[in-house]
Amino acid sequence: MKAALVLSFDTTSLQQQVHEINLMLNNISTGFSSVELWLFYKDRKPEFFPEISCPLSDIKLIKVDNAHSPESYLQLLVHLMGQYPIDLLMFSSDGSGEELATRLAYRLNGSSCLKVEDCSLTSAKLEIIKPVYGNNLTARFVLESSPYCLSVAKQPCSPVKMTQMEFLKMETITLDQTQPWWVKETLTILDPPKTGLSDADLVLVVGQGAKNKETVDILKGIANTIGAQFGASRPVVMNAWADMNRLIGASGLIISPKLCIAAGVSGTGVFSVGIKSSGFIVAINIDSKARIFQIADVGIVGDVQAVLSELEKVILVEKDKKDSSHGFIEDRTQ
Amino acid sequence: MKIAVCFKIIADYDRLSGKDWEWDECRFVDMSFVRRVFNCFDESALETVLKLSRQLENVSDTVELTALTVDDEQGDLFLKHLMAVGYDHAVRICCNNRLDLRFNPLVISHLISRYIKQEGQKLVVLGMQGGEGDNGQTGFLVAEQLGWPCIREVIDVVRAESPDCLKVFSRIDGAILKQTIKLPMVLIMGHSLNSPYLRVPTLRQKLNAKKKQLTIVSNIELGLDNDALLNKDKTLMDLYGQKPGKSCVFLEGKTAQEQAQRLYDQYLKERLS
Ligand SMILES: Cc1cc2nc3c(=O)[nH]c(=O)nc-3n(C[C@H](O)[C@H](O)[C@H](O)COP(=O)(O)OP(=O)(O)OC[C@H]3O[C@@H](n4cnc5c(N)ncnc54)[C@H](O)[C@@H]3O)c2cc1C
């Protein structure tokens, strides 16, 4: 079976996307006769490449004229598949990967599946594992028709390195591309810079149990004093109590800090998938039966603001103690 | 302008504990005891279109809104709700109950696109994920079948100067893209802060809606027989529950102060240093 990894060089999360694909390759790559990298680029031809966890047989660098138009990528992919047929195409976990996997499979009469966590080859058919029922269950499917187009599941942040590949077979593909006639005007408004939430060691995630913006603001302050990044559940973000780039969960960020404090969140499947690989989870909830306690190492049944305000005080007192004993040692050495 | 919003009613998984997940030999999960709700992304789509229709009507366009779902009779209550808040037509596409459509976005999109072709809508808006299959593919496949442009992760859509265009705001790789797009088009809603929730109808609106008729269309009427609704794309082999949860240690304490001190002393001190 021939496989190709389809990625876009200019995306801000390329190294993370490759990490996610690598996890899947680790389980299946022995079943492939060849693995190619199909890398789209916009202006500058790539000179550095993300580290892929299996040997590549070929790198195709594909110039795309309109990086915002999925149709441009699709036309190029259909063309390439005509020239160099591939059995399995792996796409990134983001919206772009999901769109391309779905639409390409449709155009080529293949099968597609998104958020794939694992895949294996059994008697020439591809089996995949993916979450269903709002991340409460996992399902195993056999995909019926090749080419198989998969987008991989999001994983906690662990970007791979970029290297300068000494590579024998590398070709550049430039093709005429029709401009999307339906787009009359485009303007890009850049998002605020990244928060540092995805790779933080300490995160405080707050849910609707905080009840209102004022309390959320107080909790943001507490996060700040204890040196934690601030994350939020969907209702907190949708009520505009926190920014969208703070959203944790299936439709937000997947994080794995060393220590995660989840306060006032109920812990539904779609939320919990976002924090469950954290090193240590502390849950604070007023309801002792809340689902969040099922993924927590330590739980406190109590009010989010009361417990966190006290915790802030304790941490500040301890910090003061440490600072003054540090000062004392320094004084003695003078 | 004729606009359709496709939505899905899902079981409210938030209400289920980790232990409630069981399935039969056909791998069906019984959700009959769980409250049903609008999928949150679809809810945004439904509200966004209500707001858009106001803007379009202000410039004397006649707007005809259709809310469309593929469901059994349980969807009717929600369709009535949508008629109450301003949808002109409420349509339910019904299929043979024994068919498993959970993991079959291809067939769902066939049903939707057939209906759209028949009725001549120029704008189709959908949500982006959710439900049993959490397939996340229906919108893309509707666009493919209609041969229309498709914008994903839309956060808002407003009127454009030219009547055959709309201004669409969407999220794309660390930025917001504002595009003026020519109709027809398929829009897939993401997290929309402008329209996170669907409006609530007044009592009078509710009473008026009671009198209105829902439209029920079968797959056969759309030219797709039961055989055409089988899943030829993928076969479900097995379902798995969550791995057993952690054995959470609960910290006792009479006051929040005591609890916080214990948490710090026993678990956080070394982790925060
Ligand atoms: C397709 C889809 C995708 C989704 N994706 C996401 C996602 O990525 N991320 C996400 O977060 N959600 C997502 N959701 C929404 C998700 O289903 C839940 O609705 C959401 O996670 C609930 O957020 P919450 O726990 O903050 O709120 P609630 O469910 O309202 O829980 C609040 C909790 O706070 C507790 N509480 C109340 N008062 C206090 C107090 N004073 N002190 C302490 N605790 C208190 C309550 O006991 C309760 O457990 C998605 C839903 C769908 C349908």
Side-chain angles (χ1 to χ4, degrees):
Chain A
M1 181 177 274
K2 284 183 171 180
L5 319 177
V6 185
L7 291 159
S8 188
F9 183 76
D10 300 291
T11 172
T12 50
S13 50
L14 175 67
Q15 291 156 272
Q16 171 63 15
Q17 290 176 6
V18 171
H19 161 66
E20 292 163 347
I21 288 183
N22 278 347
L23 288 178
M24 193 118 96
L25 284 173
N26 293 344
N27 295 340
I28 193 182
S29 61
T30 47
F32 297 138
S33 54
S34 66
V35 180
E36 300 186 4
L37 171 64
W38 292 8
L39 194 58
F40 289 102
Y41 70 95
K42 198 169 149 244
D43 301 319
R44 277 227 343 249
K45 207 154 101 179
E47 286 164 8
F48 292 87
F49 297 90
E51 278 183 348
I52 292 177
S53 65
C54 74
L56 293 175
S57 51
D58 188 6
I59 294 184
K60 289 189 173 59
L61 300 174
I62 311 151
K63 183 157 173 31
V64 61
D65 292 340
N66 191 330
H68 289 327
S69 162
E71 191 55 42
S72 306
Y73 295 86
L74 283 165
Q75 282 175 11
L76 288 164
L77 285 168
V78 169
H79 183 92
L80 284 169
M81 284 292 280
Q83 273 193 310
Y84 317 96
I86 294 283
D87 308 293
L88 167 65
L89 294 115
M90 280 192 203
F91 293 83
S92 58
S93 63
D94 62 350
S96 165
E98 296 191 336
E99 175 164 6
L100 296 181
T102 307
R103 299 180 71 178
L104 186 67
Y106 181 83
R107 290 187 191 187
L108 301 175
N109 290 319
S111 296
S112 61
C113 214
L114 313 184
K115 304 181 180 71
V116 176
E117 289 175 348
D118 202 356
C119 67
S120 58
L121 281 167
T122 30
S123 52
K125 285 262 166 94
L126 192 76
E127 278 198 2
I128 65 102
I129 301 261
K130 77 172 289 272
V132 292
Y133 284 92
N135 289 73
N136 288 294
L137 300 177
T138 308
R140 182 161 58 90
F141 293 98
V142 166
L143 300 191
E144 300 295 346
S145 334
S146 137
Y148 309 111
C149 298
L150 312 180
S151 91
V152 302
K154 279 195 259 183
Q155 301 288 347
C157 180
S158 178
V160 301
K161 288 202 196 97
M162 298 293 279
T163 57
Q164 207 169 11
M165 228 177 258
E166 295 296 325
F167 205 80
L168 295 176
K169 201 160 175 245
M170 184 157 358
E171 41 186 317
T172 307
I173 293 166
T174 45
L175 291 167
D176 284 343
Q177 292 157 48
T178 47
Q179 286 304 308
W181 52 264
W182 53 88
V183 182
K184 298 286 164 215
E185 195 184 38
T186 305
L187 179 78
T188 314
I189 310 155
L190 281 183
D191 268 353
K194 286 219 162 116
T195 54
L197 175 57
S198 25
D199 53 0
D201 282 341
L202 172 59
V203 175
L204 168 63
V205 190
V206 169
Q208 201 163 216
K211 298 216 172 60
N212 53 48
K213 180 154 177 21
E214 290 69 45
T215 314
V216 170
D217 284 342
I218 293 171
L219 300 177
K220 280 181 195 168
I222 295 180
N224 201 20
T225 12
I226 66 172
Q229 276 284 346
F230 185 82
S233 71
R234 190 172 193 274
V236 171
V237 169
M238 296 315 277
N239 290 336
W241 300 341
D243 289 341
M244 184 58 74
N245 55 11
R246 300 283 165 181
L247 174 64
I248 304 291
S251 42
L253 292 169
I254 308 286
I255 55 170
S256 63
K258 288 187 183 135
L259 172 59
C260 178
I261 305 175
V265 285
S266 54
T268 56
V270 269
F271 169 80
S272 294
V273 66
I275 63 161
K276 70 177 183 204
S277 356
S278 303
F280 193 82
I281 300 176
V282 179
I284 303 166
N285 197 300
I286 207 140
D287 173 8
S288 63
K289 296 208 170 60
R291 265 185 81 180
I292 192 68
F293 291 122
Q294 291 171 14
I295 62 158
D297 296 278
V298 170
I300 292 182
V301 179
D303 174 71
V304 42
Q305 195 185 342
V307 175
L308 285 172
S309 303
E310 290 301 333
L311 184 65
E312 183 187 34
K313 282 185 208 154
V314 175
I315 290 175
L316 286 177
V317 168
E318 293 294 326
K319 201 165 162 269
D320 273 355
K321 271 194 218 160
K322 224 194 232 165
D323 287 350
S324 54
S325 72
H326 194 62
F328 177 64
I329 293 166
E330 269 174 10
D331 281 347
R332 278 200 312 187
T333 53
Q334 269 171 7
Chain B
M1 186 187 356
K2 289 175 96 174
I3 305 176
V5 184
C6 307
F7 70 97
K8 184 167 182 174
I9 297 303
I10 60 172
D12 186 359
Y13 303 140
D14 294 4
R15 302 266 167 142
L16 294 172
S17 86
K19 298 179 209 92
D20 288 331
W21 294 92
E22 281 175 13
W23 50 95
D24 64 15
E25 62 282 4
C26 301
R27 301 185 186 92
F28 269 96
V29 186
D30 182 12
M31 288 281 155
S32 54
F33 63 98
V34 191
R35 183 182 83 149
R36 297 191 0 132
V37 291
F38 284 106
N39 181 31
C40 53
F41 294 100
D42 302 353
E43 190 176 342
S44 279
L46 287 159
E47 179 61 26
T48 302
V49 166
L50 284 174
K51 287 188 181 139
L52 173 69
S53 75
R54 282 263 169 87
Q55 292 178 18
L56 295 173
E57 275 164 353
N58 281 346
V59 287
S60 81
D61 240 355
T62 47
V63 182
E64 213 178 300
L65 299 185
T66 299
L68 171 66
T69 189
V70 181
D71 205 345
D72 57 23
E73 305 79 45
Q74 295 190 69
D76 291 353
L77 204 66
F78 294 85
L79 287 164
K80 285 273 180 198
H81 181 102
L82 291 170
M83 291 199 107
V85 292
Y87 278 80
D88 304 296
H89 309 287
V91 182
R92 177 161 65 78
I93 301 179
C94 61
C95 304
N96 183 331
N97 270 347
R98 271 167 298 161
L99 286 167
D100 184 2
L101 298 179
R102 290 175 299 171
F103 310 107
N104 204 343
L106 193 57
V107 157
I108 302 281
S109 62
H110 267 304
L111 293 163
I112 293 173
S113 52
R114 291 254 173 148
Y115 183 82
I116 302 295
K117 278 183 193 159
Q118 193 176 295
E119 296 298 316
Q121 276 87 1
K122 288 281 171 284
L123 171 65
V124 179
V125 187
L126 311 90
M128 73 170 186
Q129 47 174 215
E132 302 103 326
D134 207 356
N135 303 299
Q137 297 184 295
T138 308
F140 301 134
L141 293 168
V142 168
E144 281 296 310
Q145 282 163 35
L146 294 172
W148 292 0
C150 168
I151 316 287
R152 63 167 195 272
E153 290 171 67
V154 171
I155 54 174
D156 205 5
V157 51
V158 295
R159 192 173 66 83
E161 280 81 59
S162 161
D164 62 346
C165 290
L166 291 172
K167 275 190 193 145
V168 181
F169 297 78
S170 62
R171 264 184 193 284
I172 187 161
D173 192 31
I176 291 172
L177 201 61
K178 178 183 165 195
Q179 300 181 94
T180 306
I181 311 272
K182 198 169 176 324
L183 290 154
M185 70 184 93
V186 172
L187 300 181
I188 302 174
M189 288 305 291
H191 302 284
S192 167
L193 288 177
N194 287 349
S195 307
Y197 306 111
L198 185 62
R199 63 194 63 185
V200 180
T202 61
L203 190 61
R204 176 183 290 221
Q205 284 175 319
K206 272 190 190 166
L207 290 173
N208 283 343
K210 264 198 174 158
K211 293 177 217 140
K212 292 185 187 165
Q213 281 292 313
L214 304 180
T215 310
I216 316 289
V217 188
S218 74
N219 55 299
I220 310 286
E221 286 169 274
L222 292 171
L224 291 167
D225 61 17
N226 287 346
D227 191 47
L229 303 192
L230 296 175
N231 197 339
K232 298 180 183 116
D233 191 43
K234 52 175 133 19
T235 310
L236 175 65
M237 306 302 288
D238 220 340
L239 284 177
Y240 308 95
Q242 296 281 9
K243 289 191 193 113
K246 292 182 181 171
S247 43
C248 175
V249 178
F250 283 94
L251 291 183
E252 303 297 332
K254 284 200 191 78
T255 60
Q257 199 268 332
E258 258 181 57
Q259 289 172 317
Q261 189 68 52
R262 269 199 196 140
L263 175 65
Y264 183 80
D265 293 342
Q266 292 176 23
Y267 297 98
L268 301 193
K269 197 171 189 169
E270 69 207 64
R271 289 188 167 84
L272 290 176
S273 55

